[in-house]
Amino acid sequence: MIWLFIEYSIALHFIEAFKKVVNLWMWVLVLFGYSAVWLNKICPIMAYANEANYLFYIFHQIITVIIVYYNFES
């Protein structure tokens, strides 16, 4: 209700933008909090995926470097 009596200005614009940014970051933190509680469980599939992840990263990096090298060579 108080916003109806304040003339639109640059200060009001920055206040509204700040509120939106704070709201967005609070939702991000809420999602991180819930994921830390609900996804922090020991699972055999996650253990296997965690070990397989490093191997995938090494091969992916080699292929990416080779593709970039040949694209910028010419």
Side-chain angles (χ1 to χ4, degrees):
M1 186 72 176
I2 205 165
W3 299 109
L4 296 175
F5 299 111
I6 298 176
E7 185 176 333
Y8 189 76
S9 65
I10 293 176
L12 182 60
H13 172 73
F14 281 114
I15 290 171
E16 289 176 352
F18 179 75
K19 284 180 13 182
K20 289 178 183 179
V21 169
V22 169
N23 184 20
L24 176 69
W25 274 106
M26 291 300 119
W27 278 110
V28 168
L29 292 176
V30 164
L31 290 176
F32 280 151
Y34 277 120
S35 64
V37 170
W38 292 103
L39 298 177
N40 196 12
K41 296 179 176 33
I42 296 174
C43 176
I45 296 172
M46 291 299 288
Y48 173 75
N50 194 17
E51 292 178 11
N53 187 22
Y54 187 65
L55 183 63
F56 173 77
Y57 172 75
I58 291 173
F59 286 130
H60 170 265
Q61 186 69 21
I62 292 170
I63 293 170
T64 303
V65 169
I66 290 171
I67 290 172
V68 169
Y69 175 76
Y70 284 115
N71 279 338
F72 285 114
E73 186 181 58
S74 56

